Amino acid sequence: MTTQTGNYPLRLPLSLKAAVERLSKKDGTSINQFVVVAVAEKVSAMMTAELFEERRARADMAAFDRIMARDGGEPPGPDDEVPEA
């Protein structure tokens, strides 16, 4: 499977370019790969925020309140509790 790519001329302030060069070298990646991953992380974060906003808009808060107000079930069993440190 081949991935199609496109070119985009990117202008960076010299200080940011220097930081990318230093960090990509430390990361063991090319500058291009470093920038691609950084852009992918930002796109993912923004798309996740959109997803949560869409879900919030569809939320039935009355149903949520009913669920949260209901009586609980059985207490946690021995294997369900967080061990003390």
Side-chain angles (χ1 to χ4, degrees):
M1 180 173 105
T2 57
T3 301
Q4 293 183 342
T5 61
N7 291 330
Y8 179 81
L10 181 63
R11 291 188 177 97
L12 295 174
L14 291 178
S15 60
L16 185 55
K17 182 177 180 285
V20 168
E21 288 172 339
R22 180 178 59 80
L23 292 170
S24 67
K25 185 175 183 177
K26 182 179 178 182
D27 195 40
T29 61
S30 68
I31 292 172
N32 187 71
Q33 185 177 1
F34 187 90
V35 171
V36 167
V37 170
V39 170
E41 288 176 358
K42 180 67 174 187
V43 168
S44 176
M46 292 180 77
M47 290 176 73
T48 299
E50 285 179 6
L51 172 69
F52 284 127
E53 178 59 31
E54 290 168 6
R55 287 186 174 193
R56 186 191 67 76
R58 295 191 322 251
D60 182 345
M61 295 309 290
F64 173 80
D65 289 338
R66 283 192 306 275
I67 291 168
M68 295 305 291
R70 70 183 179 194
D71 289 335
E74 298 176 14
D79 294 335
D80 295 331
E81 295 176 0
V82 178
E84 292 184 29

